Amino acid sequence: MGAWGAGPFENDDASDWVYELEEGGVKHLQSTLQAVTKAEKDDYLEIDACSNAIAAAEVVAALQGRAAKDLPEEVTAWLETKPKGRPDLVVLAKDAVARVAREGELKELWDEAEPKDAAAWKQSVNDLLQRLA
């Protein structure tokens, strides 16, 4: 899976996505979330789309003043120049995280992980959903 932890940025896909955020900005943030929310119900959500959506949702939470404690420095720097309070992105982020928590390759891989690691991932996702509420 290319993950070294259960946190939202503790995997290769999310780490790469951070650099894409620096280039693509808010539009890239929105399209990342829409890749999950606009996928058809019978479409299989690949791990990269799921991991990126979780990372993007963390950025949205941070835009609302509810950042995770372990945001990458690049994300923190990017946030300094962005306007706060994007309700449209919050709704999109909540929908994306809820879908990733329900289905897709990322959930399947965490379901197959060691129980303590699976529980850590579920806690991380639940914490994100609470910060987006």
Side-chain angles (χ1 to χ4, degrees):
M1 167 171 28
W4 52 92
F9 296 98
E10 294 179 329
N11 62 77
D12 292 333
D13 290 318
S15 292
D16 292 344
W17 181 86
V18 167
Y19 294 105
E20 295 169 9
L21 174 66
E22 293 174 322
E23 296 291 319
V26 174
K27 193 172 197 170
H28 180 64
L29 179 66
Q30 186 174 26
S31 67
T32 298
L33 296 167
Q34 288 173 337
V36 169
T37 61
K38 293 196 177 216
E40 297 294 324
K41 290 188 182 202
D42 58 346
D43 285 348
Y44 185 70
L45 298 176
E46 302 285 340
I47 192 168
D48 58 338
C50 295
S51 296
N52 292 346
I54 295 290
E58 282 290 357
V59 173
V60 172
L63 281 169
Q64 304 309 309
R66 298 181 181 130
K69 295 175 184 154
D70 57 352
L71 280 180
E73 291 177 19
E74 298 86 356
V75 172
T76 303
W78 183 85
L79 288 166
E80 289 175 1
T81 63
K82 302 301 175 255
K84 310 298 182 232
R86 291 285 308 260
D88 58 320
L89 289 177
V90 174
V91 170
L92 194 58
K94 284 194 281 190
D95 290 347
V97 173
R99 186 161 182 195
V100 169
R102 273 192 324 269
E103 64 183 284
E105 187 176 15
L106 185 62
K107 180 190 181 305
E108 290 172 6
L109 288 171
W110 281 112
D111 285 347
E112 295 169 0
E114 293 292 323
K116 69 177 176 110
D117 295 332
W121 181 76
K122 288 176 186 172
Q123 177 58 41
S124 175
V125 170
N126 287 334
D127 175 64
L128 174 55
L129 284 169
Q130 288 175 356
R131 286 183 287 111
L132 288 167

